[in-house]
Structure formats: C-alpha cells, structure tokens
Amino acid sequence: MNSCINCNNPLEDESLFCNKCGAKQKDDRQFNDNHVDSVDNSVIKNKRKLSKKILFITAAICVLFIVSVVIYLNTPEQKARATVDNYLNAIQHGESVSKFKNEYFTDYVNVLDFKYINTREHLSYDGKQTLTLDEDWYNKYEKQKFSSFMGFLIVKEAEYRENTDYTILESNSEKLVVRDNKVGHSFSFLYDMQVTNTSGTPIYKRVVFDVNNFSGKYKISDIIEKY
C-alpha cells in the first residue's frame, strides 16, 4: 500500500489521486516507460555514433591504402622496374621495344615467362660526382687490362673526352679527374626468365637488366646474362 505524497493518507496501489486531499500522485509506470525510452534512445544514438566511427575509420584506411599504392608505384625503382616489365611484355606480344631501351643490344626471340627476383644495385646521380683515376685505381682495377699506367691514362682520357656524360677536370701524368654530369637514377634488376632459342626450344636464363633515366625517361641500357 502506498501513501499520499501530500498528506500521507493511505492509498491503494497505483492510485493516481489521493481520495482525501485530491493531490495527484507520481506515476511510476510513466517514469519507468520514460526511463526505458531514454535508455533505448541512448543505445540507438551510441550505435549510430559507433557505426559512423567504423565507417570513417574504414574510409580512412582505404584512402591511406590507395595513397600508399600510388606513391609506391611512382617511386624511381618502380618506374624503372615497369620499364623492364613493359619491355618483356612487348616481346611476348610481338610489339616494338625501341621505346624501352636507349642502347643497341640483341633482343630475345621470344619470352615465355619472367619473374623479378631482386634489385641488385641503385645509384643516384646529381651531376656533381667526381672520379679520380690515379695509380692506386690502376693497380686495383685496371692493371690486368693495360700494360702501363701511362697507357691507361691516355686511353681513359680519350674515352672520357668522347663521352658527353663526363667533363675532364684535371689531366696530368699522375692522375685523371673527371666529373660525372649525369643526373637521375640507375638500377640493376635480376630476373628469372624462360625464353626460346633460335630453334624454338624453351630454355631458362637468369638476366640482369640495367635501367636509367639519364635521358629523362627510364630506359634499358644493357642486358647481362648470368650463368
């Protein structure tokens, strides 16, 4: 049994008005219903907020992934590798390969399959690098090719004078100093390849592709077969 909230007169359960003073009593059912509605609305709002957060996070991850892929595909290494892949794909489809190379070398008759293995070397050029060819260099790298140090200097000076990629800074009987004028990147990529020989027989080869962008575009400068 309940009591009147105004005069404490005993009341039957769930009475809305006091039969003595007429005061309106508190409706517990309405309070409970309002409380339940409030809780339900709060849950719904929280779920909506959570859904928006999940949607935002998912969208952000997708954007970051796309940006990362775009950046990755536009790095110097990926552009250089794409040149090799496009060259080999052109051979597979019988298309011209001249735009993918800047030097003359014999192309494969047919390429059945190929796979990139690794990047063996990457060099950056800023047009300011210098090379000093002195007697120490000669003894370390060139002594087997040239019978004398002076002969080595004479031949190298002639080679560098004909090559526009280099400028001779100093030349005397003791050393030859040249500046490398090239600007850009050079890469060496190792590939596994299956090709056909002149008789049409499939053979396996391991090949290094040298690629650079000294001309402004990435092109293959040399192909070296490894055994």
Side-chain angles (χ1 to χ4, degrees):
M1 181 174 287
N2 295 328
S3 298
C4 175
I5 61 175
N6 181 50
C7 65
N8 289 326
N9 178 54
L11 298 176
E12 295 294 332
D13 292 341
E14 300 182 357
S15 295
L16 295 179
F17 297 94
C18 178
N19 55 11
K20 181 176 181 181
C21 68
K24 186 176 181 180
Q25 308 301 301
K26 184 177 180 181
D27 189 351
D28 291 336
R29 291 174 301 174
Q30 182 179 2
F31 172 78
N32 291 333
D33 290 343
N34 290 339
H35 178 68
V36 171
D37 290 341
S38 176
V39 171
D40 289 343
N41 289 335
S42 177
V43 171
I44 293 173
K45 288 181 180 179
N46 288 335
K47 286 184 177 180
R48 288 176 179 173
K49 288 181 179 179
L50 182 60
S51 297
K52 288 181 179 179
K53 285 184 179 180
I54 293 175
L55 183 62
F56 175 78
I57 293 173
T58 302
I61 292 174
C62 290
V63 170
L64 288 174
F65 175 76
I66 293 172
V67 171
S68 299
V69 170
V70 171
I71 292 175
Y72 175 72
L73 292 178
N74 283 278
T75 61
E77 182 173 350
Q78 290 307 308
K79 288 181 178 180
R81 272 187 57 191
T83 301
V84 178
D85 292 343
N86 291 335
Y87 166 79
L88 296 175
N89 280 319
I91 294 178
Q92 285 184 321
H93 293 87
E95 300 171 354
S96 173
V97 298
S98 59
K99 62 182 178 180
F100 302 118
K101 60 182 190 177
N102 56 16
E103 299 289 345
Y104 175 80
F105 48 79
T106 303
D107 300 310
Y108 292 102
V109 175
N110 189 22
V111 175
L112 302 178
D113 197 10
F114 61 88
K115 180 182 179 181
Y116 163 80
I117 302 301
N118 58 43
T119 300
R120 295 169 62 91
E121 186 176 50
H122 170 215
L123 298 174
S124 296
Y125 297 80
D126 59 5
K128 300 178 182 178
Q129 294 164 317
T130 60
L131 175 64
T132 300
L133 305 178
D134 54 14
E135 196 160 2
D136 288 339
W137 177 281
Y138 166 75
N139 290 329
K140 188 175 182 179
Y141 299 109
E142 306 284 357
K143 195 170 184 178
Q144 301 299 323
K145 300 179 183 178
F146 298 90
S147 59
S148 69
F149 175 60
M150 288 304 301
F152 160 73
L153 288 180
I154 292 172
V155 171
K156 287 299 179 180
E157 181 176 353
E159 290 179 354
Y160 284 119
R161 287 195 184 282
E162 294 179 359
N163 193 333
T164 57
D165 287 334
Y166 296 91
T167 299
I168 296 178
L169 302 179
E170 184 178 354
S171 177
N172 53 50
S173 60
E174 296 181 353
K175 61 184 177 181
L176 175 66
V177 181
V178 297
R179 182 181 65 227
D180 193 332
N181 301 319
K182 298 191 294 295
V183 177
H185 300 272
S186 69
F187 295 89
S188 292
F189 302 118
L190 180 64
Y191 274 70
D192 273 347
M193 295 176 54
Q194 187 180 35
V195 301
T196 56
N197 59 18
T198 53
S199 62
T201 303
I203 56 175
Y204 166 84
K205 289 184 179 293
R206 179 158 282 194
V207 182
V208 173
F209 292 87
D210 290 336
V211 186
N212 65 63
N213 66 337
F214 302 147
S215 63
K217 295 182 179 180
Y218 282 100
K219 291 189 176 183
I220 301 170
S221 60
D222 199 6
I223 293 179
I224 305 169
E225 293 186 358
K226 297 294 182 179
Y227 298 96

